[in-house]
Amino acid sequence: MSVRTLRINGIDVAVESGTSILAAAKQAGITIPTLCHLDGVSDVGACRLCLVEIQGSNKLLPACVTEVAEGMDIQTETPKLQEYRRMTVELLFSEGNHVCAVCVANGNCELQDMAIAVGMDHTRFPYRFPDRDLDVSHPQFGIDHNRCIFCTRCMRVCDEIEGAHVWDVAQRGAAVRMITGLNQPWGEVEACTSCGKCVEACPTGAIFRQGSTVAEMQRDRSTLEFLVTAREKKEWTR
Amino acid sequence: MDKIKLATIWLGGCSGCHMSFLDLDEWLFDLAAQVDLVFSPIADIKTYPEGVDICLVEGSIANEDNLELVRQARARTKVLISFGDCAVTANVPAMRNPLGSAKPVLERCYLELGDVQTQIPHEPGIVPPLLDRVRPVHELVPVDAYLPGCPPPADRIRTFLEMALRGEPLHLKGREMLKFG
């Protein structure tokens, strides 16, 4: 095992080569805000909340998909980063139709938590109010595209943990949307095992259990964590 | 010293923020000792006065009357505060925006879902025409501070007003003070 030594927020850190900056910071007890990162599945750098400053580079780099290098000097909480993080959250709010007051995930939403964490009291960007639909064709679950932030966590848990690959990303730019199957109604996708991992993975109220009313949704992320680590720790009962 | 002139206005919203304001209960007596309520839906005053110190704006801007009142309030107020999620984000009233304009909304409400004598209301000077898009307050007039929440709980309103009365900077922090919804 080769080791890389670096500094994060002035703290000396030694980690295995190939480790991401996000994981290295975690080992050093430094929390970097994330939305699209989910322990146990691959990282894609979709949300851009984990951007960090690296001395010698004028680019801000996403900590989740940037590997550590020898001698790196990383800052995770500069005023510039805090400003960009707040802007990112504001853009997420103005880009979709996030109405906390009527959302199943109100009070249990990572986007809402992030808005509180970055101190967002309003968004300075004009709201887009896109026309997006809702799919409740699945007997147990539903997706409200108005609340989707395209973190693709649902896609990654379905593909990498459940192995069903029901979810995918279609279109691009402002027209981007999560689809099920080959853009079929979710209820018609035979590959779906109704395991509910996408429901557990979704950071907002976009994917929900049918019948949940406003602020009623509770998620148990430990289920996903258990599934991911159980393989490594051989915790299966048979 | 003159009392601080406080106003509250109610635009496109459910009045829940004003209900939450009334939830301040006996603290309202303490507040009344420090301010003069010069304009409010809970006081029978017809015109928005000049020289208002603080104004809480509940609701989004959904029709022409809302727009006129908020512009008047802005011109005559020192500190204009977006009060509640509708004012800050346009919130529930803006859920009609993806339909594109006022016309399909009115047709759906008054023609498609109407029972008898279906007609779209048209009374110039009495029924204010809807704007095509519901907008948060700060997209149309400059806003000095934001008090989110749907509605903001009474304790949050109290803490915020106390900060405003002391003339402190009105930047909120933490889950108790800042949460939307």
Side-chain angles (χ1 to χ4, degrees):
Chain A
M1 176 182 104
S2 58
V3 170
R4 298 281 176 267
T5 55
L6 57 149
R7 282 169 85 83
I8 306 177
N9 295 354
I11 299 169
D12 288 317
V13 185
V15 290
E16 200 177 333
S17 64
T19 307
S20 70
I21 293 174
L22 186 67
K26 197 176 172 186
Q27 284 181 39
I30 296 163
T31 308
I32 299 176
T34 59
L35 272 177
C36 69
H37 170 81
L38 191 65
D39 279 341
V41 294
S42 59
D43 280 308
V44 292
C47 73
R48 252 46 196 180
L49 274 165
C50 69
L51 289 179
V52 293
E53 277 191 72
I54 299 168
Q55 201 174 47
S57 166
N58 57 5
K59 284 193 287 189
L60 302 177
L61 293 173
C64 65
V65 291
T66 308
E67 284 183 14
V68 294
E70 186 62 36
M72 265 183 174
D73 189 354
I74 302 163
Q75 291 292 328
T76 71
E77 283 297 331
T78 61
K80 181 177 172 184
L81 288 170
Q82 286 169 348
E83 173 63 11
Y84 280 149
R85 256 175 222 147
R86 180 171 159 169
M87 278 168 70
T88 304
V89 179
E90 287 177 23
L91 284 165
L92 286 171
F93 270 90
S94 52
E95 178 273 333
N97 295 313
H98 298 281
V99 188
C100 298
V102 291
C103 180
V104 285
N106 186 10
N108 191 22
C109 168
E110 290 179 42
L111 181 64
Q112 194 180 38
D113 293 344
M114 196 57 72
I116 296 166
V118 300
M120 176 188 134
D121 60 2
H122 74 290
T123 166
R124 72 198 88 167
F125 305 107
Y127 286 92
R128 283 183 62 237
F129 301 116
D131 188 8
R132 293 187 187 156
D133 61 356
L134 181 91
D135 180 359
V136 284
S137 59
H138 191 284
Q140 284 170 262
F141 314 124
I143 172 154
D144 183 346
H145 293 281
N146 292 291
R147 300 173 184 154
C148 179
I149 57 168
F150 313 105
C151 66
T152 68
R153 279 191 195 182
C154 51
M155 185 178 95
R156 287 174 285 147
V157 288
C158 187
D159 182 37
E160 297 171 25
I161 304 181
E162 179 62 8
H165 202 123
V166 169
W167 292 96
D168 243 316
V169 182
Q171 313 290 353
R172 57 173 76 183
V176 70
R177 59 187 267 116
M178 299 306 295
I179 54 164
T180 40
L182 294 167
N183 202 10
Q184 297 149 283
W186 191 355
E188 290 173 19
V189 180
E190 286 178 15
C192 178
T193 61
S194 302
C195 69
K197 288 188 183 70
C198 52
V199 185
E200 296 302 333
C202 180
T204 69
I207 305 180
F208 54 89
R209 279 175 216 285
Q210 286 190 26
S212 323
T213 60
V214 172
E216 215 176 52
M217 187 162 207
Q218 295 286 325
R219 281 199 191 76
D220 185 8
R221 305 244 193 262
S222 59
T223 316
L224 289 177
E225 203 180 311
F226 170 78
L227 287 169
V228 170
T229 54
R231 281 184 206 165
E232 293 156 19
K233 294 181 187 166
K234 305 202 189 305
E235 285 174 349
W236 306 118
T237 49
R238 61 192 164 109
Chain B
M1 194 179 86
D2 285 347
K3 278 185 174 180
I4 284 170
K5 287 184 182 168
L6 176 72
T8 74
I9 60 176
W10 175 20
L11 310 175
C14 71
S15 103
C17 299
H18 274 88
M19 295 299 112
S20 199
F21 180 80
L22 294 177
D23 262 351
L24 286 163
D25 302 333
E26 64 266 34
W27 189 74
L28 288 171
F29 291 109
D30 297 346
L31 182 66
Q34 298 178 67
V35 303
D36 274 330
L37 189 66
V38 292
F39 187 84
S40 173
I42 55 170
D44 189 19
I45 300 159
K46 306 297 183 201
T47 49
Y48 195 95
E50 298 282 348
V52 175
D53 294 301
I54 299 172
C55 176
L56 297 175
V57 183
E58 171 185 342
S60 48
I61 298 170
N63 64 37
E64 288 182 4
D65 275 12
N66 296 157
L67 188 58
E68 193 187 324
L69 180 57
V70 82
R71 282 186 174 149
Q72 211 169 51
R74 177 66 279 181
R76 299 176 184 176
T77 312
K78 278 187 210 141
V79 181
L80 194 76
I81 295 163
S82 266
F83 178 36
D85 279 0
C86 290
V88 181
T89 74
N91 205 26
V92 174
M95 289 173 81
R96 74 167 161 92
N97 286 356
L99 292 173
S101 68
K103 195 163 172 268
V105 181
L106 292 167
E107 283 174 354
R108 178 72 181 150
C109 295
Y110 290 98
L111 303 184
E112 290 170 38
L113 299 175
D115 296 328
V116 287
Q117 286 188 320
T118 53
Q119 58 175 331
I120 291 177
H122 179 70
E123 289 294 336
I126 298 172
V127 180
L130 291 189
L131 300 176
D132 277 340
R133 226 164 213 231
V134 182
R135 314 274 293 273
V137 174
H138 68 269
E139 283 192 12
L140 293 161
V141 296
V143 165
D144 300 300
Y146 302 85
L147 174 55
C150 183
D155 289 346
R156 191 184 298 175
I157 301 172
R158 178 179 167 170
T159 311
F160 189 87
L161 282 177
E162 284 171 339
M163 288 160 70
L165 293 172
R166 287 194 297 263
E168 291 174 10
L170 298 170
H171 298 301
L172 304 181
K173 268 193 234 167
R175 200 170 187 88
E176 289 307 308
M177 290 300 288
L178 198 52
K179 188 178 151 292
F180 288 91

